[in-house]
Amino acid sequence: MKNRLKVLRAERVWSQADLAERLAVSRQSVNAIETGKYDPSLPLAFKIADLFEMAIEEIFQHE
């Protein structure tokens, strides 16, 4: 699944560790989601969308 997480994070000048802390996940999880190696669970996707104040569909796109 493609996503805009890295771009959104960079726009806020957050490190992967900053984002991980806000989401209560590991930095490695953030890295894996950004690189497309891992698709977040639905609850985590909602948490990400809430954090960025966007709809899930605005962040994640099915390839």
Side-chain angles (χ1 to χ4, degrees):
M1 179 173 1
K2 292 167 62 174
N3 67 74
R4 300 179 48 215
L5 197 55
K6 186 174 184 176
V7 172
L8 295 171
R9 179 177 58 77
E11 287 173 353
R12 287 155 181 80
V13 195
W14 293 344
S15 67
Q16 286 183 343
D18 293 333
L19 180 56
E21 186 175 327
R22 286 173 167 84
L23 297 172
V25 299
S26 69
R27 186 202 58 79
Q28 291 85 352
S29 293
V30 170
N31 184 320
I33 294 168
E34 285 185 356
T35 59
K37 294 178 183 171
Y38 170 74
D39 292 335
S41 65
L42 194 53
L44 180 54
F46 273 109
K47 199 171 186 179
I48 292 167
D50 287 345
L51 179 64
F52 288 106
E53 298 179 338
M54 302 175 89
I56 290 175
E57 297 84 3
E58 293 177 284
I59 301 172
F60 300 96
Q61 299 86 36
H62 183 57
E63 294 184 288

